[in-house]
Amino acid sequence: MNRQPLIIRKQGWLEFLFHRPNVHLASFQTISNYPRIWIISIMILAVTSLAPLVFTTVINHQLIQKSVDSELVLQTDRVTSNAKRSMRFFLEERLNALQFVVNELPYYSLIDNEHLDKILSNLKLGFGGFTDLSIIDEDGSQIAYAGPFNLEGKNYKNQSWFIQSIEKDNFISEVFTGYRDIPHIIIAVRSETAYGRHFLLRATLDTQRLMSMLNSYKTNVHTDIFLINRTGVLQTPSTTYGKIFTPAPLKVPPYSDTTHVIRPEHPGKNGFIMGYSYIATEAVTTPFILMVHKKKSDVMGTWLNLGKTFNWIIGVCCLVMMVIITLVSTFMVNQLYLADQAKAETMLKMEQSQQLACIGQLSAGIAHEINNPLALINETAGYLKDLYQYPDEHRSDQETSELLDDILEAVSRCGTITSQLLGFVRQFDVQISSVNVEKLITGILSFHKKETEYKGIHVTTAISPNVPAIKTDRGKLQQILLNLINNAFQAIEANGCLDIKVSYLPPNKVSIEISDTGCGIPEENLKRIHEPFFSTKKDKMGTGLGLSITYGLVKKLQGTVRVESSEGIGTIFTVTLPVRNRKEGNA
């Protein structure tokens, strides 16, 4: 007992989805497809509500990404510039130190191993980063050496660094292994002996000191700083591209005196930013290119995590809004459906009431039609009673039989009138059957005989001989014609005219034209005559539903209504119906 009301309440929210179509209410409903209206309303509300939110989220994400990208470029440029200055200072400082030694100390003191060893110790104490020192004559022979390696008596005549350095005043080599089989950098300063022969003061730099200096500029684990030479070979290890002397899969950037930030494009390395700068001192250009590598996705990790959290919040908000939108749309569409159903049910009741009202308007003619056969029955029955009061020999069987036939005929006439009356009153489902329009019009006009005689109205009917029987709903068509003919009789004054014309319109339509010489309809009211409760009757006794219901009935029968009227001249209603209804059993 407690479950049934709960089920009814649950279905009430979605009643417009689960309702069963009602043939009688269909023509009175404003909207026929409520599920479609429901879906459209949800879509419109969702788009108008969520689109700005999604659009703002996308724009915010792009702005953050652009801001982070811009900040990343600035950071990369700043780190590259700072590392470049430190690298340049590191090399210039040691190159200047060697130039000072060569310029201030005589040649004989430089070729003394003990004195050269003291010079190396002083350079390590004053500057640091020096590994060893050596004096090499212009033939490539090492004359003096101070350092940890056993390189005494080595000849460098065929070494590429020696060939380049002996031709220049100052020289800085790229990283190579040489005789000591350890990666190192050479700084060489050329000078002359008292006899005009060239010699080199060569120093080997500690690469570990250089790499430590570069690593100090790594702002985070996502930053990679390394050196490459002019051919793209790594001069220091790289966490991204591998060990020293490994060819980096990078396109060597074009030469520039200033620092630049680029976005390299090559397979497998998208989404990072590269800052680069060529290293050069005031005295000599080095073979080194400083590279600063930053992975954009790694650097933006914090922002991406924040963005994911923000996206989750937006997603939950969108979900909540969709639930609210769905509930509101469901409630509003369901209320609209219930209001439309109530209106349709009211209009259907009004249609039935109008049908009975039409019968009431015909009451005088109906009473007259029934009174005539009843009077005949009364007189004949009285006469028969008088005959049976006389002796038997005065009776005539033939006369009695004729009197009984009169009674039966009168009873049959009353039955016919009653059947016609019931045909108007009964409410049936829309059923398609073959209808003879001429007989239908004749039956309706029979109810107006008394009014026709009383007002002196001249009624004419013109039925084209080629008009076929039409497949339609007899009861609905009967009510349409009854409403229009009743309105015509009410509008016609004494001695007026009513003309009914039925024509066949090839290939599949029939036109029924009802014209009267009544008072007519003002032009400003013509567009409103089909509105419910709108009436033009002067006595204000009309309900204003007759033509509205008639219009709905014609629509049910898939027909059209056209009206032409001139005030003071008359009105013409033209109903056009299909010869065969397209939907058997539905209109």
Side-chain angles (χ1 to χ4, degrees):
M1 294 298 292
N2 295 330
R3 291 182 179 180
Q4 187 64 22
L6 180 60
I7 294 174
I8 293 176
R9 279 196 294 273
K10 285 184 177 179
Q11 291 181 345
W13 266 78
L14 297 174
E15 190 171 344
F16 64 94
L17 288 176
F18 301 105
H19 77 284
R20 294 181 179 179
N22 189 320
V23 175
H24 301 297
L25 300 179
S27 63
F28 298 114
Q29 289 178 329
T30 306
I31 301 172
S32 59
N33 194 343
Y34 280 92
R36 182 170 178 268
I37 297 297
W38 179 55
I39 294 174
I40 291 176
S41 65
I42 291 176
M43 291 177 62
I44 292 175
L45 288 175
V47 169
T48 54
S49 300
L50 301 182
L53 184 61
V54 173
F55 180 75
T56 303
T57 303
V58 172
I59 295 299
N60 181 63
H61 177 73
Q62 291 179 348
L63 290 176
I64 291 176
Q65 189 173 19
K66 185 176 180 180
S67 177
V68 172
D69 191 40
S70 177
E71 180 63 24
L72 185 59
V73 170
L74 292 175
Q75 288 181 3
T76 304
D77 183 76
R78 187 161 48 248
V79 170
T80 305
S81 297
N82 293 338
K84 171 190 175 180
R85 283 192 292 269
S86 295
M87 179 77 176
R88 180 179 177 180
F89 179 76
F90 178 84
L91 295 175
E92 277 187 342
E93 188 179 41
R94 282 141 191 85
L95 183 60
N96 291 336
L98 294 182
Q99 288 175 344
F100 176 80
V101 171
V102 167
N103 293 331
E104 295 298 325
L105 297 176
Y107 178 71
Y108 65 85
S109 129
L110 294 176
I111 60 176
D112 183 358
N113 287 336
E114 292 183 3
H115 193 245
L116 189 62
D117 190 63
K118 290 180 180 180
I119 294 173
L120 177 62
S121 298
N122 292 331
L123 289 175
K124 286 183 177 181
L125 290 173
F127 300 97
F130 288 96
T131 301
D132 60 15
L133 288 175
S134 62
I135 301 297
I136 303 171
D137 64 17
E138 61 182 12
D139 295 326
S141 298
Q142 185 168 259
I143 300 172
Y145 175 78
F149 300 100
N150 185 18
L151 298 176
E152 292 158 351
K154 295 290 185 181
N155 188 283
Y156 300 98
K157 183 177 181 179
N158 296 323
Q159 298 290 321
S160 62
W161 66 266
F162 175 78
I163 296 172
Q164 296 179 59
S165 60
I166 202 66
E167 296 176 353
K168 302 176 182 178
D169 293 334
N170 302 284
F171 175 75
I172 298 177
S173 73
E174 63 184 36
V175 179
F176 69 103
T177 55
Y179 289 126
R180 65 195 72 191
D181 202 25
I182 296 174
H184 60 281
I185 299 173
I186 287 177
I187 296 179
V189 175
R190 188 181 68 177
S191 186
E192 292 182 359
T193 66
Y195 302 100
R197 290 180 60 82
H198 290 100
F199 72 91
L200 297 177
L201 174 58
R202 184 196 72 171
T204 302
L205 299 183
D206 182 4
T207 55
Q208 291 297 325
R209 174 77 176 271
L210 179 62
M211 287 187 288
S212 298
M213 181 194 67
L214 293 177
N215 289 333
S216 66
Y217 286 95
K218 289 186 177 182
T219 55
N220 49 55
V221 295
H222 311 304
T223 303
D224 186 15
I225 301 179
F226 55 92
L227 296 175
I228 63 172
N229 61 15
R230 304 295 177 94
T231 60
V233 177
L234 290 173
Q235 301 295 287
T236 58
S238 168
T239 56
T240 304
Y241 299 105
K243 298 179 180 180
I244 191 171
F245 301 134
T246 302
L250 292 170
K251 182 179 179 181
V252 177
Y255 177 80
S256 176
D257 293 332
T258 58
T259 302
H260 288 276
V261 177
I262 59 175
R263 294 177 175 83
E265 295 181 1
H266 56 274
K269 295 296 178 183
N270 292 325
F272 70 90
I273 291 178
M274 185 77 76
Y276 78 92
S277 179
Y278 280 74
I279 306 298
T281 67
E282 293 183 359
V284 63
T285 300
T286 75
F288 301 119
I289 305 174
L290 177 66
M291 308 294 292
V292 178
H293 178 283
K294 282 181 176 286
K295 284 187 178 180
K296 185 177 178 182
S297 58
D298 292 339
V299 175
M300 292 184 64
T302 303
W303 288 102
L304 292 175
N305 292 333
L306 180 62
K308 289 179 181 179
T309 303
F310 183 73
N311 291 337
W312 272 106
I313 295 174
I314 294 298
V316 171
C317 291
C318 290
L319 181 61
V320 172
M321 291 178 67
M322 280 302 301
V323 171
I324 295 174
I325 287 171
T326 302
L327 292 177
V328 171
S329 296
T330 303
F331 177 76
M332 296 302 293
V333 173
N334 196 66
Q335 291 300 308
L336 180 62
Y337 166 77
L338 294 176
D340 198 17
Q341 283 292 103
K343 184 206 76 173
E345 291 173 0
T346 302
M347 292 300 294
L348 181 62
K349 292 178 181 179
M350 287 297 183
E351 179 184 334
Q352 297 170 356
S353 300
Q354 177 67 15
Q355 191 175 16
L356 295 176
C358 291
I359 301 303
Q361 294 174 6
L362 298 175
S363 58
I366 294 171
H368 177 74
E369 289 294 322
I370 294 179
N371 279 336
N372 287 339
L374 287 178
L376 178 61
I377 292 172
N378 182 58
E379 291 176 1
T380 305
Y383 180 61
L384 281 174
K385 183 178 180 180
D386 292 340
L387 286 179
Y388 278 95
Q389 291 178 356
Y390 290 99
D392 292 342
E393 59 271 10
H394 294 289
R395 288 191 228 152
S396 171
D397 292 336
Q398 180 64 30
E399 185 178 7
T400 302
S401 177
E402 291 177 356
L403 292 174
L404 290 174
D405 287 341
D406 291 340
I407 292 174
L408 292 175
E409 183 179 354
V411 171
S412 176
R413 174 59 179 160
C414 288
T416 300
I417 295 171
T418 304
S419 296
Q420 291 178 347
L421 185 61
L422 289 175
F424 288 112
V425 177
R426 288 175 182 169
Q427 175 66 37
F428 297 99
D429 288 339
V430 179
Q431 296 180 351
I432 306 302
S433 61
S434 181
V435 179
N436 187 308
V437 180
E438 182 177 6
K439 290 183 179 180
L440 193 65
I441 293 174
T442 302
I444 294 172
L445 291 175
S446 66
F447 289 105
H448 290 278
K449 285 184 179 180
K450 187 68 176 178
E451 188 174 3
T452 301
E453 294 173 0
Y454 178 76
K455 285 187 175 183
I457 297 174
H458 180 66
V459 179
T460 60
T461 57
I463 314 294
S464 298
N466 61 342
V467 174
I470 63 176
K471 292 283 187 177
T472 190
D473 180 81
R474 181 184 182 86
K476 301 300 181 188
L477 180 57
Q478 194 174 46
Q479 186 173 352
I480 291 169
L481 297 178
L482 181 62
N483 286 345
L484 295 178
I485 291 174
N486 279 353
N487 285 347
F489 271 97
Q490 291 175 4
I492 297 173
E493 301 293 339
N495 301 319
C497 296
L498 173 63
D499 298 320
I500 302 175
K501 180 180 178 182
V502 182
S503 305
Y504 174 61
L505 302 177
N508 59 350
K509 291 185 178 181
V510 170
S511 170
I512 304 173
E513 183 182 288
I514 301 174
S515 60
D516 62 68
T517 58
C519 59
I521 303 173
E523 184 176 357
E524 62 272 13
N525 294 334
L526 279 177
K527 295 181 180 180
R528 303 184 59 194
I529 58 174
H530 296 309
E531 295 179 8
F533 306 107
F534 177 77
S535 176
T536 59
K537 296 178 181 179
K538 296 179 180 180
D539 54 6
K540 304 299 180 183
M541 295 300 292
T543 62
L545 291 171
L547 290 178
S548 175
I549 292 173
T550 300
Y551 178 78
L553 292 174
V554 174
K555 185 179 177 182
K556 281 185 180 181
L557 300 183
Q558 301 171 358
T560 59
V561 179
R562 187 178 74 254
V563 59
E564 301 173 22
S565 183
S566 298
E567 193 171 7
I569 298 177
T571 304
I572 302 175
F573 279 92
T574 303
V575 178
T576 303
L577 298 172
V579 173
R580 182 177 180 84
N581 198 291
R582 291 190 299 272
K583 297 181 181 178
E584 296 293 331
N586 295 289

